[in-house]
């Protein structure tokens, strides 16, 4: 972690509040944007990907990471057991190609995907930990922290004004029809 006081020694009520808010904001988004997804999301994600084309396990991991904007990268230790479970359930079949197991949906797997009422996790607009908002929030918090650590008192005050305006504008988005 870092010192919660800027190197230039400037302290004021606005800066104290800004630091506290930035740190809280950053920690919340960093917790959300880890590699864990909600219960059942990995299964849903794997089925959605295999509905598009057959893949091997590491392709699945890369696709999930890419489609989630880098906010979710499941481990091989979670993907392969899920693939095995889907095979045991009769939704996935495997075949060897170039020394790798290639997974594809069975007819039962295609029927399950077609009848599923849930979208792939990266397609859900409000899915926690996915999309650009958490990433943008963390990057904003990092920039504000950098200004707080190295900026002049005038720059810090300008940053506080920008953050206050950003907060107002974000709430105005929610207030729209």
């Amino acid at each position: 972690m870092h010192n919660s006081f800027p190197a230039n020694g400037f302290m004021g009520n606005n800066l104290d509040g800004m630091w506290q808010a930035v740190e809280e904001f950053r920690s919340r988004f960093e917790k959300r944007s880890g590699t864990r997804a909600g219960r059942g999301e990995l299964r849903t994600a794997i089925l959605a990907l295999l509905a598009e084309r057959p893949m091997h396990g590491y392709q699945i991991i890369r696709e999930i990471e890419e489609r989630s904007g880098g906010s979710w990268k499941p481990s091989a230790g979670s993907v392969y057991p899920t693939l095995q479970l889907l095979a045991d359930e009769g939704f996935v079949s495997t075949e060897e190609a170039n020394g790798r197991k290639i997974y594809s949906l069975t007819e039962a797997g295609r029927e399950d995907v077609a009848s599923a009422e849930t979208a792939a996790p990266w397609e859900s607009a409000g899915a926690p930990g996915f999309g650009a908002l958490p990433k943008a929030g963390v990057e904003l918090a990092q920039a504000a922290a950098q200004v707080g650590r190295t900026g002049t008192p005038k720059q810090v005050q300008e940053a506080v004004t920008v953050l206050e305006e950003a907060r107002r504008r974000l709430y105005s988005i929610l207030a729209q029809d």
Side-chain angles (χ1 to χ4, degrees), residues 54-57 59 94-104:
M55 295 183 191
H56 61 74
Q59 284 176 309
T94 61
E95 69 178 60
E96 288 283 328
N98 299 324
R100 292 183 178 251
K101 279 187 178 180
I102 304 296
Y103 298 88
S104 46

Side-chain angles (χ1 to χ4, degrees), residues 36-43 72 121 128 130:
R36 291 195 175 268
R39 187 178 185 152
E41 287 184 335
L42 181 57
R43 182 182 197 281
W72 178 27
F130 296 103

Side-chain angles (χ1 to χ4, degrees), residues 36-146:
R36 291 195 175 268
R39 187 178 185 152
E41 287 184 335
L42 181 57
R43 182 182 197 281
T44 302
I46 289 172
L47 288 171
L49 290 173
L50 293 178
E52 295 175 10
R53 71 179 197 277
M55 295 183 191
H56 61 74
Y58 283 99
Q59 284 176 309
I60 292 169
I61 292 168
R62 282 195 309 268
E63 281 290 321
I64 291 172
E65 181 180 23
E66 184 177 305
R67 293 181 191 210
S68 70
S71 65
W72 178 27
K73 183 179 180 183
S75 69
S78 61
V79 169
Y80 285 102
T82 303
L83 285 165
Q84 184 59 54
L85 179 65
L86 290 168
D88 292 347
E89 293 173 344
F91 292 139
V92 171
S93 64
T94 61
E95 69 178 60
E96 288 283 328
N98 299 324
R100 292 183 178 251
K101 279 187 178 180
I102 304 296
Y103 298 88
S104 46
L105 290 183
T106 62
E107 188 58 41
R110 281 189 283 285
E111 289 172 11
D112 186 68
V113 169
S115 68
E117 294 181 16
T118 58
W122 51 84
E123 294 173 354
S124 303
F130 296 103
L133 184 61
K135 184 175 189 264
V138 168
E139 289 171 352
L140 176 64
Q142 289 169 338
Q146 181 68 32

